[in-house]
Amino acid sequence: MLRRLLVPLVALLSLRLCPGTHGSELPKPPEVWFKAEFFQHFLCWLPISNQSESTYYEVQLDWYGRSPWESLPHCSQAPELCCDVTMYTLHLYRSNGYRAKVRTVDGSRFSNWTLANTRFSVDDVTLKVDSVKLEMHEGFIFGMIQLPRPQVAPPGDTYESIFTHFRQYEIAIRRVPESFKSSQMVDHENFTLPIPGEVGKFCVKVKPSIGSRTNKGIWSEEQCIALTKQYFTMTNLSIFFALILLLCGPLAYCLVLHLYVRRRGTLPTALVFKKPSPSILISKPPYPEMQDIIHPLHVQTFLKVSPEHLNLHGSMNSGFGSAKPSLQMEEPHFFLPTPHPQACSALGKGKPPDLQGSCSDGGSSGGSSSSSSSSSTDSGICLQEPSLNPGSGPPWKQKAGSTSQGQDDSGISFVRNSEGQPGSTQDSSLLGHINLLGPEAPAEEDPDTVTFQGYLKQTRCTEEKTAIAACLEEDTPLTDGLCPQFRTCLDPEAGWPPPALAKGYLKQDPSGITLAPAGVPPEQCNQLNEEWPLLGLTIFGNLGPSDWNFAHDLDPQDCMAAPEGLLGSFDSDLVTQPQISNLYSSE
Amino acid sequence: MINLRANSAQDMKAQCVSLWLLGTTLVLCSVHTTAFRRCPVPVDMHLLEESFQEIKRTVQTKDTFQNITILSPVETLRSIKPVDVCCVTKNLLEFYMDRVFKDHQELKPQILRKISGIANTFLYMQKTLQQCQVQRRCHCSEEATNATRTVHDNYEQLEIPSAAIKSLGELDVFLAWIDRNRQETSAA
């Protein structure tokens, strides 16, 4: 009985002990999957439950969409349950993926194939950085992420080229011995972590990711760095040097400025004033306070002037300061011939006492002005202001009083015609009155007045102003006087703009005319013409060269002719023309 | 002397031809880049990727025809020119919306929810591309048309359920191709 049951039992046992004998009995691996990092691809599977020493697993790989399946023999011989399939999946990042399958083999038995759960694609790659380098600069941690550079990667397949956009990195930092508490995301491989004012040891780790993908990432290894206080940092050094520059800069600037300012500048050559040569007729008056160089006239020219002519001194002032002592010389410098008694008397009426006195004093004494010469630059001609005597002008007189006040008349002052206003007709009949207006006065508006276009602004005291004003009030008929009355009455109250200082005197033509007043002896006339060559030319205003010739052509003896004729030879307009435009021509 | 003149004339002609070619090349390149950036499609690729990853295991596991592919026969999508990207994208969106999503019968609600999310995103993209087509900014060349026809032919070779599940399984291929074109467009 037992012998008949033994054979079926043996057959039954053989079937149970050898399930894979026919390929379908050997269990297949329960699960197969891929796991991969950047160019580190592995295929893993679960073993069967009851495997023997002869059991092994067969692996095949398929490039999705291509045929046939490719066996991986090295995976069959591996005792582990994972097989490196990197070299067979190098095109993973440039293709649609791979499929893999695994089966159990035991001897001659094979199991069914177990396919990988999903197609092996780029999405299955876990991202990881190679390392991170840390540096410390001025309290900041500068990090540089080192991306993986696998050697098995095909040429051109780098982390940056495969994942071109949306690369992100999560940075975690902790202070030893503390744990990681926070992290931050950066978009670049280089990052900066501010740690102001802290010292100690800090550790950093990095986890990569791709913004447009679902790839997982893993943390890198910690990289630690020790932060210490640095005093000699770039920031501190730069601040230090900046402070030094801020402190030394103003000092250097002040020093340079001081040196530069102390250095006396030299006048340019064009402005260098030369000393007057001795040959100049006009000698320089010894007035220290005057800046203008005044060339005084030679004394000898006027030594022969008779005292009788002193009264005309002031009225014949051709360009010297008005109301001032004329010259500092004792002798009167130049005088006109004695005017007509009537005219002179008319002139004398109403003369400002100061003006008369000054001028007469100057004329009489001849040297009274010298005492006051120190304070006056008037070289000898005393002019009357027109405001004082618009109609007639007192004779030219030195004004010692005015000079004593230290007025600085450095040039020419002229009589205004009437109350300082041009165009007055009061002097139209006064041939001898040459009213010289200020520079702003339009000469064409008053042909009867002499307008000087280069008048010096004369600063004078109030007394003189009063005297000058009185001078303008007088009116001397020109024809009766037969003597040119040269007067300037300055109107301090006139609304003239301050005229510029004249730089010198009128050019005196030695051969100029001599307007001899009526009653002047011929001898005196000739003397006047000879000794006072300066006089004649000062009369005429805007006389041009031709006019000068006209003036030059006048014979000194003509002054002995009928005054009317002499006077008639002159154009009244010429007489009243502003005369001093030629003052500077020869200068 | 006559030879010199002839040589100079030939040189001039050669220069003119070279200049003409250069100008044509530049114009074509500009047109190319212009066409590439003609119809940008704003889409959240990360959301699409996440949705697919959640259904990838399920749908790909069900794919039993491992040796057949629908979207990537001989690197079909990789051979598409940039000027045809707009047309091919529009056609494939229509393919998924009109055939794949309708043919697939999903029983699991979690998978169905994810597939619905993907479909809604595709619908938004499809409307944007249709506007570009109306404005004549999405021209379809013959190559683009041929590529679309190949996809349809591959789909028809399988049974509908298998084809649909395979097409769902190859969504990652389609999404990767869209993302790559979008990055290139933004970089241009």
Side-chain angles (χ1 to χ4, degrees):
Chain A
M1 180 77 168
L2 290 175
R3 292 182 182 175
R4 284 184 282 185
L5 294 176
L6 185 62
V7 173
L9 286 176
V10 171
L12 185 62
L13 286 173
S14 62
L15 289 173
R16 292 180 67 85
L17 291 175
C18 301
T21 303
H22 299 284
S24 62
E25 295 177 355
L26 192 62
K28 63 181 182 178
E31 189 176 1
V32 179
W33 69 91
F34 283 94
K35 64 177 182 179
E37 294 180 2
F38 191 70
F39 282 101
Q40 292 182 354
H41 312 151
F42 295 91
L43 179 65
C44 297
W45 59 89
L46 290 177
I48 59 176
S49 56
N50 296 323
Q51 62 179 7
S52 63
E53 294 180 356
S54 60
T55 304
Y56 64 93
Y57 302 90
E58 183 178 358
V59 177
Q60 289 187 353
L61 193 68
D62 176 54
W63 191 340
Y64 185 74
R66 301 186 182 192
S67 60
W69 288 89
E70 182 179 2
S71 296
L72 304 179
H74 70 282
C75 294
S76 303
Q77 299 176 358
E80 296 82 8
L81 299 177
C82 288
C83 180
D84 188 356
V85 296
T86 305
M87 299 305 296
Y88 300 92
T89 58
L90 293 177
H91 300 283
L92 177 66
Y93 307 96
R94 305 295 183 184
S95 64
N96 296 327
Y98 296 85
R99 297 299 296 266
K101 60 182 181 179
V102 179
R103 70 176 179 177
T104 307
V105 178
D106 189 357
S108 60
R109 294 186 301 169
F110 303 93
S111 64
N112 293 329
W113 289 101
T114 302
L115 295 173
N117 295 333
T118 58
R119 177 166 29 91
F120 183 46
S121 63
V122 182
D123 298 335
D124 298 325
V125 176
T126 301
L127 305 177
K128 180 184 176 181
V129 298
D130 191 14
S131 62
V132 58
K133 293 184 178 179
L134 300 177
E135 295 178 357
M136 185 182 67
H137 290 289
E138 301 177 358
F140 289 84
I141 294 178
F142 292 88
M144 292 170 287
I145 298 174
Q146 305 297 317
L147 298 176
R149 295 283 184 264
Q151 297 181 356
V152 299
D157 287 350
T158 61
Y159 189 93
E160 301 91 317
S161 64
I162 293 171
F163 306 107
T164 307
H165 304 283
F166 310 112
R167 294 194 303 272
Q168 299 176 353
Y169 304 95
E170 184 177 359
I171 309 298
I173 184 171
R174 72 181 183 93
R175 184 177 181 179
V176 179
E178 301 174 3
S179 60
F180 289 97
K181 296 180 180 180
S182 61
S183 62
Q184 64 180 23
M185 296 296 294
V186 296
D187 297 334
H188 300 282
E189 284 75 17
N190 298 326
F191 60 93
T192 303
L193 298 176
I195 306 178
E198 297 186 16
V199 295
K201 187 177 182 181
F202 295 88
C203 296
V204 176
K205 60 180 181 180
V206 178
K207 183 174 72 175
S209 63
I210 305 299
S212 61
R213 288 185 169 274
T214 58
N215 294 76
K216 297 179 181 179
I218 56 176
W219 292 101
S220 65
E221 295 180 0
E222 285 188 1
Q223 191 71 23
C224 299
I225 188 171
L227 296 181
T228 58
K229 281 190 176 181
Q230 293 184 355
Y231 297 96
F232 295 99
T233 61
M234 288 301 297
T235 303
N236 295 340
L237 290 175
S238 61
I239 293 172
F240 175 72
F241 283 112
L243 289 174
I244 290 177
L245 289 175
L246 288 174
L247 292 173
C248 296
L251 293 176
Y253 176 76
C254 292
L255 181 63
V256 170
L257 190 64
H258 181 67
L259 293 175
Y260 178 78
V261 171
R262 290 194 64 179
R263 187 186 310 167
R264 291 186 177 183
T266 57
L267 287 175
T269 308
L271 297 180
V272 174
F273 296 102
K274 298 180 180 180
K275 293 183 178 180
S277 61
S279 61
I280 297 175
L281 294 178
I282 302 173
S283 62
K284 182 178 181 181
Y287 293 140
E289 62 274 13
M290 288 303 298
Q291 298 179 357
D292 297 328
I293 300 176
I294 301 174
H295 303 276
L297 300 173
H298 282 186
V299 178
Q300 290 79 5
T301 305
F302 310 101
L303 290 179
K304 298 181 181 180
V305 177
S306 64
E308 298 174 354
H309 301 148
L310 293 179
N311 294 332
L312 298 176
H313 167 75
S315 62
M316 285 299 290
N317 190 351
S318 61
F320 301 94
S322 63
K324 293 186 186 291
S326 55
L327 294 176
Q328 295 76 24
M329 312 301 290
E330 296 181 358
E331 298 290 334
H333 298 280
F334 55 90
F335 299 95
L336 292 174
T338 306
H340 194 273
Q342 294 182 359
C344 292
S345 62
L347 288 174
K349 294 179 181 178
K351 287 185 298 182
D354 293 338
L355 182 62
Q356 179 181 6
S358 62
C359 292
S360 59
D361 292 340
S364 59
S365 64
S368 61
S369 61
S370 62
S371 61
S372 61
S373 63
S374 60
S375 60
S376 174
T377 57
D378 187 3
S379 59
I381 301 175
C382 178
L383 302 176
Q384 296 179 0
E385 286 187 323
S387 60
L388 298 177
N389 189 2
S392 61
W396 291 106
K397 299 179 181 179
Q398 292 182 356
K399 299 186 67 176
S402 61
T403 55
S404 63
Q405 297 179 0
Q407 297 180 359
D408 49 348
D409 181 6
S410 61
I412 305 167
S413 61
F414 300 95
V415 178
R416 291 199 64 185
N417 195 358
S418 60
E419 299 180 351
Q421 297 297 329
S424 172
T425 56
Q426 295 182 0
D427 295 338
S428 60
S429 59
L430 302 177
L431 182 63
H433 289 266
I434 299 175
N435 299 312
L436 304 172
L437 304 176
E440 297 300 328
E444 60 275 12
E445 298 179 358
D446 186 13
D448 297 331
T449 62
V450 177
T451 305
F452 169 54
Q453 299 180 359
Y455 182 69
L456 296 172
K457 173 66 176 179
Q458 306 298 331
T459 58
R460 56 188 61 82
C461 59
T462 55
E463 296 179 358
E464 184 180 6
K465 291 179 182 178
T466 306
I468 294 171
C471 174
L472 291 175
E473 296 174 355
E474 296 182 3
D475 187 8
T476 304
L478 185 61
T479 55
D480 296 336
L482 297 180
C483 55
Q485 298 282 345
F486 304 96
R487 65 187 178 97
T488 59
C489 294
L490 300 176
D491 184 9
E493 298 179 357
W496 297 348
L501 292 176
K503 307 276 184 191
Y505 296 97
L506 289 173
K507 178 180 180 180
Q508 307 298 333
D509 190 350
S511 60
I513 26 180
T514 300
L515 298 177
V520 176
E523 298 76 9
Q524 288 184 356
C525 184
N526 292 330
Q527 289 178 356
L528 288 174
N529 186 28
E530 295 174 359
E531 301 297 337
W532 303 328
L534 303 174
L535 292 176
L537 301 181
T538 64
I539 300 174
F540 307 99
N542 292 331
L543 298 178
S546 60
D547 298 329
W548 280 114
N549 295 328
F550 164 71
H552 284 256
D553 291 337
L554 291 177
D555 190 85
Q557 296 180 356
D558 292 339
C559 67
M560 294 306 299
E564 295 81 1
L566 176 63
L567 295 177
S569 64
F570 291 96
D571 188 3
S572 62
D573 295 335
L574 291 177
V575 173
T576 59
Q577 290 297 322
Q579 65 176 2
I580 314 300
S581 62
N582 291 319
L583 281 174
Y584 306 98
S585 60
S586 61
E587 292 294 332
Chain B
M1 192 67 178
I2 297 175
N3 294 332
L4 290 175
R5 290 182 180 178
N7 293 332
S8 63
Q10 290 178 358
D11 293 338
M12 290 291 292
K13 290 182 179 178
Q15 291 179 0
C16 292
V17 171
S18 62
L19 289 174
W20 182 83
L21 290 174
L22 179 62
T24 305
T25 305
L26 292 175
V27 171
L28 291 175
C29 289
S30 62
V31 171
H32 168 75
T33 55
T34 304
F36 201 68
R37 296 176 287 176
R38 197 177 299 175
C39 191
V41 180
V43 61
D44 189 355
M45 293 304 301
H46 187 79
L47 181 61
L48 283 174
E49 289 282 347
E50 285 185 347
S51 301
F52 175 75
Q53 291 296 324
E54 295 185 11
I55 65 171
K56 176 183 178 181
R57 185 184 181 90
T58 303
V59 297
Q60 290 186 355
T61 302
K62 295 180 181 180
D63 185 12
T64 58
F65 299 93
Q66 300 296 323
N67 295 330
I68 299 174
T69 178
I70 297 176
L71 295 180
S72 61
V74 197
E75 305 293 339
T76 303
L77 294 181
R78 291 183 179 273
S79 63
I80 299 299
K81 297 178 181 179
V83 70
D84 297 329
V85 167
C86 177
C87 177
V88 174
T89 303
K90 181 179 65 65
N91 294 338
L92 290 181
L93 289 173
E94 291 176 358
F95 165 75
Y96 274 91
M97 295 296 292
D98 298 338
R99 303 190 71 171
V100 176
F101 293 144
K102 291 182 178 180
D103 295 339
H104 178 68
Q105 302 294 329
E106 181 59 47
L107 301 176
K108 295 181 179 180
Q110 297 86 354
I111 305 302
L112 185 63
R113 187 182 305 113
K114 296 300 180 182
I115 294 175
S116 299
I118 296 172
N120 289 331
T121 304
F122 280 12
L123 182 63
Y124 171 75
M125 295 169 61
Q126 194 177 12
K127 289 183 177 180
T128 305
L129 292 175
Q130 287 177 353
Q131 294 179 357
C132 293
Q133 190 178 17
V134 170
Q135 299 173 1
R136 298 184 179 181
R137 295 188 298 168
C138 198
H139 176 69
C140 290
S141 64
E142 185 177 356
E143 294 179 357
T145 305
N146 293 335
T148 306
R149 186 180 299 110
T150 301
V151 171
H152 284 272
D153 294 340
N154 294 336
Y155 185 83
E156 293 172 357
Q157 289 182 2
L158 298 174
E159 296 180 355
I160 294 178
S162 299
I165 200 68
K166 178 175 278 297
S167 299
L168 286 176
E170 293 181 355
L171 270 175
D172 59 338
V173 177
F174 182 48
L175 295 178
W177 182 76
I178 292 175
D179 188 30
R180 183 168 54 252
N181 293 327
R182 188 171 64 92
Q183 293 179 7
E184 292 176 355
T185 302
S186 61

